Amino acid sequence: MTVTTIKSTRTAPKLTCTWVAVRGKDGRTRMEMRWIDETRRTARHAA
């Protein structure tokens, strides 16, 4: 039996925990800690 390792070009998403403003059903805004994809966030900031 031969064992081969699979090399993936996709790296695991870099997640960071950050404060996000969330608006509730009552219309009030509160801050929640959320895990976000760091690669998506930096791409959005650069645009």
Side-chain angles (χ1 to χ4, degrees):
M1 188 171 99
T2 310
V3 178
T4 55
T5 57
I6 300 169
K7 289 197 172 28
S8 176
T9 55
R10 253 181 60 192
T11 56
K14 189 175 180 184
L15 296 175
T16 52
C17 197
T18 187
W19 288 103
V20 178
V22 179
R23 185 167 301 234
K25 290 181 183 170
D26 56 357
R28 292 169 60 181
T29 305
R30 66 182 189 278
M31 297 301 282
E32 285 185 359
M33 288 296 279
R34 291 271 175 93
W35 287 100
I36 61 160
D37 187 354
E38 183 67 27
T39 53
R40 263 197 338 195
R41 198 184 81 157
T42 51
R44 195 171 62 212
H45 277 280

